[in-house]
Amino acid sequence: MPNMSPKKNPMPSQAPDVRNKNFLEVATGYTQEVAVDEAQRCLQCKHRPCVAGCPVNIAIPDFIKQVAEGNFAGAYDIISESSSLPAVCGRVCPQETQCESKCVRGIKTEPVGIGRLERFVADWHNAQENVEVKKPQSNGHKVAVVGSGPAGLTCAGDLAKKGYEVTVFEALHLAGGVLVYGIPEFRLPKSIVQKEVDTLKALGVKVETNMIIGRVISIDELMDDMGFEAVFIGSGAGLPRFMKIPGENLNGVFSANEYLTRTNLMKAYRDDCATPIAKSKNVAIVGGGNVAMDAARCAKRLGAENVYIVYRRSEEELPARREEVEHAKEEGIIFKLLNNPVEILSDENGNVNGMKCIKMELGEPDESGRRRPVEVEGSEFVIDVDTVVISIGTSPNPLIKSTTKGLETQKWGGIITDENGLTSREGVYAGGDAVTGAATVILAMGAGKTAAAAIDEYIQNK
Ligand code: FAD
Ligand code: SF4
Ligand code: SF4
C-alpha cells in the first residue's frame, strides 16, 4: 500500500539566517528512513509519465521501487544506465518543469520528490568505500573533447567506457565547467564534481587543463597533426552580455560570470585564498534568472548588507526557478521588480556609487508571449549601490568558430549541428550550451551522450 501523504517529505536545510553567512550546502539531504518513506509515495504507474519528463529517460519508477525496498545499490545501477551525473542532477535539475511536472501524484497533491531521491541514491553510492572503476581495454582510437562541463564530461565518459582514448582539453585550471565556476558551493559542493572527474580519470580519460582550444592548439591541429579521429565541442556559452548603458566600465561593475568565477572557482570567500573581490555594502544584481539568484546569494554571503535583484518585468515573469527565488527571499535578498537600469554612476575616483533606474510597467505580450516592459516616463530614481553585477545572459565564445575550418554557426554564435551533434565539419561534433545557448545541465549531458554514440558509429564505420 503506497504512502498517500499529500506532501513530499521536506528537505532538511540550514536555517536562512545561518546559511546566508556561510558557503556550506543549503539542503542537507534525506536520511535512509525518509528516502524509503518518500519512495513509498510512488504509485508505480504502468504508463510511467515521469520518465517522459526526464530528458535522459531515467527509469524513474524502477529506481524508486528499489529505494522503497531499501536496495540503494540496485537503485544506483538503474539510474546510472541513463545518467552519469546523478549527484549533480538530483541537486540542480529543474525537476518541477521536468520529471516531477509529469508525476501523477502532482495532479492533486505534491509530486514524488524524484530529484531528492536521485540525490539520496547518488550520495549513498558516493559514501560507499571501495567502489571499483574498471579501466576498459583500449580500442586504439583517439577522440578529443573540448570543454569539461556536463556535455564534455558525459561524452568523454561514454566514449572511454567503449575503449576510446579520450583527452579532454579545458581552458580553466579545473575541470567541471559551470558546475565548478558558476553554480555556487552552497547549491552544489565541488567535491561532488571532483569525484565525477576522478571517476573519468580512472576510466582512462586524460584531462588537460589550462588549454584554450583555438589559442594553444586549434581543432584543425588536433585532427590533422595530433591523430584525433573525432572532436566533440562542449565549450558552453560563457561569453557575457552587457546592457550597453553608460557606466558599465566602472570599477565595481562585474559580469555575473566573473563575479561567480572569482567566488566559486577561485574561492574569493575563503580567507586562505588571495582572489580579490569587491567588499561591498550595497550590491545590485541586474537580471532575474538562476544566474542572477546565484550571484545575489553569493553577494550576501560575501558580507553585503543590502543585495537587490533589479529586474524589468514582474515576479510572475522571473525566469529563475521558483525554489531559487524563495531561497533568495528567505536569505534577505531584496527584489526591485519592474525597474530597469539606465546608467551606473561613479564618484570622482571612477568607483560605482549608485545606479540610475527607471520604473517599468507591463504592456502587450511580445514575441516570447511575455508582456513587454514599457518605461514609465519621468520615473527615474537612484539606488545607492557600490557594486553592480550584470546577469542578463551569455552566448557562445566566437573563438572556436573563428579558428576552425568549415565550422558553421548561427548568427548569435550557436554551433549548427544535426540531431546527432554532427557539425558542418566531418568528424567534429558539438553539444550542450555551445549549440543551444544557455540551457540546463541535464540537456547538456543528453547532448554529450547522443554525440558519443554518433562518434562511436562514425569511427567504427570509417
Ligand atoms: P559548460 O558547463 O559551460 O562547460 C564548458 C566548458 O568549456 C567550460 O569549462 C569552459 O571553460 C570550457 N571552454 C570554453 N571554451 C573553451 C576552449 N576554447 N578551449 C577549452 N575549453 C573551453 N542548469 C541547471 O540545470 N540547473 C541549475 O541550477 C543551473 N544553474 C546555473 C547557474 C549558473 C551560475 C550558470 C552560469 C548556469 C547554470 N545552469 C544550470 C546552466 C548549466 O550549468 C549549463 O547549461 C551547463 O553547464 C552547460 O554545460 P556545457 O557542458 O554545455 O558547458
Ligand atoms: Fe528528474 Fe533530472 Fe533526474 Fe531526469 S535527471 S529524473 S529530470 S532530476
Ligand atoms: Fe511514481 Fe509519479 Fe512516476 Fe507515477 S508518475 S511512477 S507516482 S514517480
Side-chain angles (χ1 to χ4, degrees):
M1 177 68 189
N3 166 2
M4 292 311 289
S5 164
K7 289 204 174 275
K8 280 184 202 173
N9 279 280
M11 175 59 95
S13 301
Q14 288 190 68
D17 58 342
V18 174
R19 69 181 193 237
N20 66 9
K21 297 177 195 66
N22 69 56
F23 276 79
L24 300 176
E25 192 170 16
V26 167
T28 49
Y30 281 170
T31 60
Q32 293 195 8
E33 295 68 36
V34 175
V36 170
D37 190 66
E38 183 63 27
Q40 287 169 346
R41 292 185 65 233
C42 174
L43 303 176
Q44 292 294 314
C45 311
K46 288 227 158 43
H47 58 305
R48 303 154 76 87
C50 47
V51 177
C54 169
V56 294
N57 300 124
I58 290 180
I60 294 168
D62 303 345
F63 99 75
I64 291 183
K65 184 164 188 280
Q66 297 306 316
V67 177
E69 291 170 1
N71 179 6
F72 308 135
Y76 183 82
D77 289 344
I78 293 170
I79 296 174
S80 56
E81 276 168 26
S82 318
S83 166
S84 50
L85 301 171
V88 174
C89 294
R91 284 171 167 81
V92 305
C93 251
Q95 291 109 12
E96 66 282 7
T97 56
Q98 297 183 340
C99 51
E100 293 183 17
S101 74
K102 301 278 190 286
C103 174
V104 166
R105 291 293 308 261
I107 297 171
K108 291 207 173 124
T109 62
E110 288 190 8
V112 175
I114 301 169
R116 292 174 183 182
L117 288 172
E118 184 176 334
R119 168 192 163 142
F120 165 79
V121 171
D123 287 356
W124 178 89
H125 170 86
N126 284 343
Q128 307 308 301
E129 280 170 20
N130 304 325
V131 180
E132 223 183 288
V133 181
K134 281 195 209 101
K135 187 174 164 186
Q137 176 99 33
S138 165
N139 66 8
H141 296 286
K142 278 172 69 175
V143 179
V145 169
V146 180
S148 64
L153 292 180
T154 305
C155 184
D158 279 18
L159 288 169
K161 284 179 200 154
K162 290 185 195 294
Y164 287 89
E165 291 176 17
V166 183
T167 306
V168 176
F169 295 96
E170 167 55 50
L172 296 171
H173 67 274
L174 267 183
V178 170
L179 307 181
V180 291
Y181 82 73
I183 303 181
E185 179 80 22
F186 55 81
R187 283 213 293 129
L188 177 64
K190 302 309 151 216
S191 53
I192 290 170
V193 186
Q194 191 53 50
K195 193 144 191 153
E196 301 297 347
V197 175
D198 290 344
T199 306
L200 279 192
K201 287 182 178 167
L203 281 169
V205 173
K206 286 191 206 134
V207 180
E208 303 256 5
T209 51
N210 298 313
M211 291 292 277
I212 306 179
I213 298 303
R215 284 267 184 278
V216 187
I217 322 172
S218 67
I219 288 182
D220 296 339
E221 286 166 333
L222 288 173
M223 299 183 85
D224 299 343
D225 306 336
M226 294 173 69
F228 289 100
E229 292 168 68
V231 175
F232 174 76
I233 307 172
S235 50
L239 188 71
R241 286 194 204 120
F242 285 93
M243 301 189 70
K244 302 192 174 72
I245 58 172
E248 263 182 322
N249 290 329
L250 292 169
N251 296 332
V253 181
F254 295 82
S255 68
N257 219 319
E258 179 186 351
Y259 194 73
L260 289 167
T261 301
R262 283 174 183 268
T263 310
N264 300 314
L265 181 74
M266 298 165 74
K267 311 285 177 217
Y269 63 90
R270 281 191 357 207
D271 293 339
D272 59 339
C273 286
T275 309
I277 194 148
K279 288 278 171 234
S280 323
K281 194 167 168 211
N282 300 308
V283 182
I285 314 289
V286 181
N290 288 319
V291 180
M293 299 306 139
D294 282 343
R297 296 173 72 194
C298 283
K300 193 78 188 168
R301 285 163 171 79
L302 287 165
E305 281 172 28
N306 297 301
V307 182
Y308 306 102
I309 289 279
V310 178
Y311 178 60
R312 63 195 184 131
R313 290 185 157 101
S314 71
E315 171 133 11
E316 214 172 291
E317 290 85 19
L318 275 171
R321 288 178 70 189
R322 204 61 248 158
E323 186 181 280
E324 297 309 320
V325 174
E326 289 313 321
H327 276 148
K329 283 186 178 170
E330 285 167 10
E331 291 172 12
I333 309 302
I334 303 157
F335 283 70
K336 287 199 165 286
L337 303 170
L338 287 167
N339 291 303
N340 205 26
V342 286
E343 184 178 357
I344 302 170
L345 309 171
S346 74
D347 61 17
E348 61 284 3
N349 300 317
N351 296 316
V352 172
N353 75 348
M355 185 166 79
K356 193 192 275 183
C357 297
I358 188 161
K359 296 203 164 127
M360 310 292 280
E361 57 189 17
L362 293 179
E364 293 302 309
D366 60 17
E367 326 69 66
S368 71
R370 295 181 305 172
R371 290 175 66 196
R372 187 191 298 276
V374 184
E375 292 185 352
V376 178
E377 224 177 288
S379 65
E380 285 93 344
F381 65 101
V382 172
I383 317 183
D384 174 19
V385 290
D386 49 54
T387 306
V388 175
V389 180
I390 311 284
S391 179
I392 57 166
T394 54
S395 52
N397 191 308
L399 177 65
I400 290 194
K401 143 113 183 143
S402 64
T403 55
T404 310
K405 271 188 266 158
L407 187 71
E408 283 175 18
T409 62
Q410 314 267 7
K411 263 202 195 125
W412 53 268
I415 299 172
I416 297 172
T417 67
D418 70 6
E419 69 282 4
N420 297 317
L422 176 63
T423 68
S424 50
R425 166 95 187 256
E426 193 193 331
V428 178
Y429 295 74
D433 285 7
V435 169
T436 57
T440 62
V441 171
I442 188 75
L443 287 172
M445 272 180 52
K449 229 177 181 17
T450 304
I455 289 171
D456 178 40
E457 202 183 324
Y458 165 70
I459 292 180
Q460 296 309 324
N461 293 331
K462 229 168 44 155

